[in-house]
Amino acid sequence: MKNQKLRIIPLGGLGEVGKNMMAYEYGDDILVVDTGIMFPDNDMLGVDYIIPDFQYLLDKAQRVRGIIVTHGHEDHTGAIHHVLEQINAPVYATPLTRGLLEIKIGRNGLSHTADLHTVQAGDRVQIGAFTVDFFHVCHSIPDAVGLGIETPAGLVVHSGDYKFDHTPVDNWPTDYARLAEFSERGVLALLADSTNSERAGWTPSERVIDAALRPVFETASGRIIIATFASLISRMQQVANAAQKYGRKLAFVGTSMTDNVKMARKLGYLDFPENLVVTVEQALGMKDKDIVLMCTGSQGEPSSILGRLSSGTNRQFDLKPGDTVVISSHPIPGNEETVYRTINRLFQRGANVIYEAIAPVHVSGHASQEEMKLLIHLTRPKFFIPIHGELRQLKQHAHLARQIGIPEENIAVVENGQVIAFEEGEMRLEERVPGRYVFVDGAGVGDVGPSVVREREALARDGIVLVSLALDKKTGCLQNEAEVITRGFIRVDENGELIANVKQRIAESVTRANGNLQADVEQMVKSYLYNETKRRPTVFVTVSRT
Amino acid sequence: MKNQKLRIIPLGGLGEVGKNMMAYEYGDDILVVDTGIMFPDNDMLGVDYIIPDFQYLLDKAQRVRGIIVTHGHEDHTGAIHHVLEQINAPVYATPLTRGLLEIKIGRNGLSHTADLHTVQAGDRVQIGAFTVDFFHVCHSIPDAVGLGIETPAGLVVHSGDYKFDHTPVDNWPTDYARLAEFSERGVLALLADSTNSERAGWTPSERVIDAALRPVFETASGRIIIATFASLISRMQQVANAAQKYGRKLAFVGTSMTDNVKMARKLGYLDFPENLVVTVEQALGMKDKDIVLMCTGSQGEPSSILGRLSSGTNRQFDLKPGDTVVISSHPIPGNEETVYRTINRLFQRGANVIYEAIAPVHVSGHASQEEMKLLIHLTRPKFFIPIHGELRQLKQHAHLARQIGIPEENIAVVENGQVIAFEEGEMRLEERVPGRYVFVDGAGVGDVGPSVVREREALARDGIVLVSLALDKKTGCLQNEAEVITRGFIRVDENGELIANVKQRIAESVTRANGNLQADVEQMVKSYLYNETKRRPTVFVTVSRT
């Protein structure tokens, strides 16, 4: 056994390494860590989200002994139902994470088949060949864990998302003792979160948000509306504390937020008096200065509560002058434009808007450079593998590790699909397993690929022009004027002349045509429109002969 | 005359106020300041850029006495040819700005009609009713100016883009004396740049870039490739200084950069020995450690030199391991994703990449909060109008002004099109002039509007499905199977069954059809595809009867 290999395989498809799904393989046993989604780039047109490419595991489904989900954020939980549909292995999670998973699994009709197990930070669980120590880490959601994975090839520490917050909202700091104990045992490899590796210093404590909320509550004369993620349970606790202190009632708006609050209160992760919370209807009946509303939409999603408030399309209530809106989150990369547009619109509607750029109403849940160095010193690993990040962030994390003494040859900066093997205390890169983006669009998983997205790009860039020709079967002459329909090409009402000219030229083409009329007309229309407009719409020609 | 009104009208269409185009109107005289473009948002599909909506000026073209361009950046110069085509007024600019304008005007075939006038910082020029004092400001391009506009209604100070750099690369600080002199004269209104109003403190001097380049030049063992904007003349000087100091030759890659360097050297804005610069061909023949290449593409534009290097499609040379790439710019909001993707790809190709997040290889050209306060104190205006920014930035700038004593009622936070009138020392908002986004797409100006962009969005979200039916004229039966073509909808090769089912259902529809066959089939295909895929492609049906 001792000589068997441990293989670690990040299975995220393209994109952020290890954040979405990681496989640990030893002998016949496979352990999966996290099943997250990625958010599409702005140029992945029409794509709802991206799930990990776990093709590699499909013919090994029987060997997957367990799936651990380290915490309840979408980029670690979001693909759970896609994975369970193919690989129905036992799922291990702490109570809050499990609660969030259950809501998701229930919505996707898998409640009866999913095999969920509750673990607590501090627990040790045997999963196939892996003895897993769950240890508590601070993050921007309670009940997050990192993993000490003891394998016959050695001990691997998997950080999960973490920060070293000395004053967390739930007063439960990261488990330093356990990290030191790992170090005593001897750590073969550390896999650590790289999200903030470009950020110097130490990430501020979640507690600074209390101080930032204080002036908001002290000066707001009207309603206070606070937008954040539905999974940011600790933020809800902080707002509840402030509401209580300043004598306001608190209402949660929207299904995802209300569902999560109900679950988190039941499990004891939210602690506030029953009479602090009112329904939205009750809140709207009270004086403006007596209420706080919490809602989703901090990423500027147009269909969220905040998105609808900013565009004036919310059903239950409207924004009004005197409202104070607090956006308590950081734009996910690629969302900056949408978030700023939402802020501008909220200002336009007369609200006062408080957001991260002007006040510390949000802090990161991820470790910064000094914390990263601390984690490495605490665990003293032989090998170091930066995970959870784009390549640039992995590179910076590797740079930090080198700075504090990990030799370059003991650091593996890899992309998803790259197999890392450990055998007899040595690390080697093996052949990469195939991986790609798996797009989820509507009900379809993977039926939209890059080629379809490229077609969408072409359609989106210059639109389409449809030409229908009806010819006399005998004479080959046009029976009527050609029909020309456009979408996304040009304002037709203001460009009648251009369209008339196209029709005129089509008529001439038909007269002159020899050979393939359809192809000739298509070519002619394309080049005529390019000459006139410098645009290349997608042109379709249909010909009927009657 | 004293009782006539001064009217100030920001003409940017929607979006950033006053950055793009500002009109000053007194009696029969109009003065225009800046003619910039805006970059489209990610969801303005297929739009190349956005120009100001200057509809308001079109029937007053004869009354425009002059157009001042404050400095040579695209967001202040880019629409000059669009404006001159409609309003051929004299253009005033400092030598470098004029040089950059001439290149642009030449490319658009307007060199013979444009009436350009060179001014120097310190000059006073009479333009209609306006006596304009041009004063030097520091910015991230040399030869930038602000304006003191003396009108019969009072003195207005227009800051342009500025920062208070005490150690600028060209050793030419902002003209504090002139600002103080304005204050002595008495300033009716200050219009000031709001770009960085969310940023605390003082913007670092351009000089810090020298210190950031030093370790790069000291440690790079291979080629150094530095990407920045083609208009960042002072950055070129800094790189040239470093190249000279560390014994490397410098080559400029790409037309826009070479054109601008040639012009700036001729005018004396770049100062380095002739033998420092080599051609790209010469550089590629030298040892890697002996060269620096400067190129464009710092925003990740796929067709730029850096974009092509990152995707391996550059013609003249490829990136190779050992190269050091420095990205010396800040992502324009909305470009973050593209810039980061480019950085990841450069790392993938083996380059070491240095960028703003990890080293101060770029600093902002805009004043931060403490500088903004200084400008207000230096000029002591009665009224304050924040310009150059999104609404959120104008609001923050107004907030700063209130903090240092400008009364709320003396501050106007307005959007483009809002007329601000001054009469007898009082400020009043008048009726707003209409304004919209004017999209430039290919050769077309304004022929793509929001409705066309919405059509493109629909096409891009779910693609299109084209159905062609050929019916027997007599029997009404299908002559052949329906033809179904899709673009951007689904992978057709892997979804043959779906398409076969659609055809089957179309055949059934034709048999059952009564009334409008075309509409019936369209409706049926739409709802069938939605049920099966939860997507809503745009469906077109053509019917021919033969």
Side-chain angles (χ1 to χ4, degrees), chain A residues 174-182:
Chain A
T174 295
D175 190 347
Y176 299 93
R178 182 55 59 117
L179 291 168
E181 187 265 322
F182 292 148

Side-chain angles (χ1 to χ4, degrees), chain A residues 41-43 198 337 341 344 348 355 390 392 415 441 443 447 455-456 460 488 533 535 544-546, chain B residues 41-43 198 337 341 344 348 355 390 392 415 441 443 447 455-456 460 488 533 535 544-546:
Chain A
D41 291 351
N42 283 309
D43 57 1
E198 295 168 345
E337 210 169 70
R341 192 189 298 165
N344 290 333
Q348 244 167 353
Y355 49 105
E390 299 173 29
R392 64 192 166 99
E415 295 185 79
D441 174 8
D447 61 354
E455 288 176 1
R456 290 180 181 174
T533 67
R535 278 170 228 171
S544 67
R545 291 182 165 81
T546 62
Chain B
D41 291 350
N42 283 309
D43 58 1
E198 294 167 345
E337 209 169 69
R341 191 188 299 165
N344 289 333
Q348 246 168 352
Y355 49 104
E390 300 173 28
R392 64 191 165 103
E415 295 185 79
D441 173 8
D447 61 354
E455 288 176 0
R456 290 179 181 175
T533 67
R535 280 170 223 167
S544 67
R545 291 184 165 79
T546 63

Side-chain angles (χ1 to χ4, degrees), chain A residues 20 35-39 71-79 104 107 231:
Chain A
N20 309 112
T35 57
I37 55 169
M38 281 179 56
F39 302 99
H71 66 277
H73 283 155
E74 285 288 325
D75 53 346
H76 293 253
T77 64
K104 191 173 295 290
R107 279 194 197 128
S231 60

Side-chain angles (χ1 to χ4, degrees), chain B residues 88 137 156 531 543:
Chain B
N88 194 15
V137 292
V156 177
N531 284 335
V543 180

Side-chain angles (χ1 to χ4, degrees), chain A residues 41-43 45-46 198 333-334 336-337 340-341 343-344 347-348 355 357-358 390-392 395-396 415 436 441-444 446-449 452 455-456 459-464 466 468 485 487-491 495 533-535 540 542 544-546, chain B residues 41-43 45-46 198 333-334 336-337 340-341 343-344 347-348 355 357-358 390-392 395-396 415 436 441-444 446-449 452 455-456 459-464 466 468 485 487-491 495 533-535 540 542 544-546:
Chain A
D41 291 351
N42 283 309
D43 57 1
L45 299 168
E198 295 168 345
E336 294 84 353
E337 210 169 70
Y340 294 144
R341 192 189 298 165
I343 294 173
N344 290 333
F347 272 124
Q348 244 167 353
Y355 49 105
I358 60 165
E390 299 173 29
L391 192 51
R392 64 192 166 99
K395 288 275 186 184
Q396 291 315 315
E415 295 185 79
R436 59 183 176 96
D441 174 8
D447 61 354
V448 166
V452 175
E455 288 176 1
R456 290 180 181 174
L459 296 173
R461 201 180 312 116
D462 292 322
I464 58 172
L466 307 180
S468 306
I485 298 174
R487 288 286 186 285
F489 168 54
I490 207 164
R491 288 191 194 171
N495 290 278
T533 67
K534 296 285 174 272
R535 278 170 228 171
F540 297 93
T542 60
S544 67
R545 291 182 165 81
T546 62
Chain B
D41 291 350
N42 283 309
D43 58 1
L45 299 168
E198 294 167 345
E336 294 86 353
E337 209 169 69
Y340 294 143
R341 191 188 299 165
I343 294 173
N344 289 333
F347 272 123
Q348 246 168 352
Y355 49 104
I358 60 165
E390 300 173 28
L391 191 51
R392 64 191 165 103
K395 287 276 184 181
Q396 292 313 319
E415 295 185 79
R436 59 185 175 97
D441 173 8
D447 61 354
V448 166
V452 174
E455 288 176 0
R456 290 179 181 175
L459 296 173
R461 201 179 311 118
D462 292 319
I464 57 171
L466 306 179
S468 306
I485 299 174
R487 287 286 185 286
F489 168 53
I490 207 163
R491 286 191 196 172
N495 290 278
T533 67
K534 295 286 175 274
R535 280 170 223 167
F540 298 92
T542 60
S544 67
R545 291 184 165 79
T546 63

Side-chain angles (χ1 to χ4, degrees), chain A residues 175-200:
Chain A
D175 190 347
Y176 299 93
R178 182 55 59 117
L179 291 168
E181 187 265 322
F182 292 148
S183 150
E184 289 291 303
R185 259 198 261 169
V187 173
L188 175 70
L190 168 67
L191 282 71
D193 175 17
S194 311
T195 308
N196 278 350
S197 63
E198 295 168 345
R199 219 185 271 192

Side-chain angles (χ1 to χ4, degrees), chain B residues 151-212:
Chain B
T151 77
L155 173 62
V156 177
V157 177
H158 182 113
S159 76
D161 285 359
Y162 77 99
K163 66 193 276 192
F164 286 126
D165 193 337
H166 293 305
T167 53
V169 175
D170 59 5
N171 296 313
W172 191 2
T174 295
D175 190 347
Y176 300 92
R178 182 55 59 118
L179 290 169
E181 186 265 320
F182 291 149
S183 148
E184 288 291 301
R185 257 198 261 169
V187 173
L188 176 69
L190 168 66
L191 282 69
D193 176 15
S194 311
T195 308
N196 278 350
S197 63
E198 294 167 345
R199 221 185 269 193
W202 195 285
T203 303
S205 168
E206 300 282 315
R207 198 69 80 176
V208 306
I209 292 164
D210 292 341

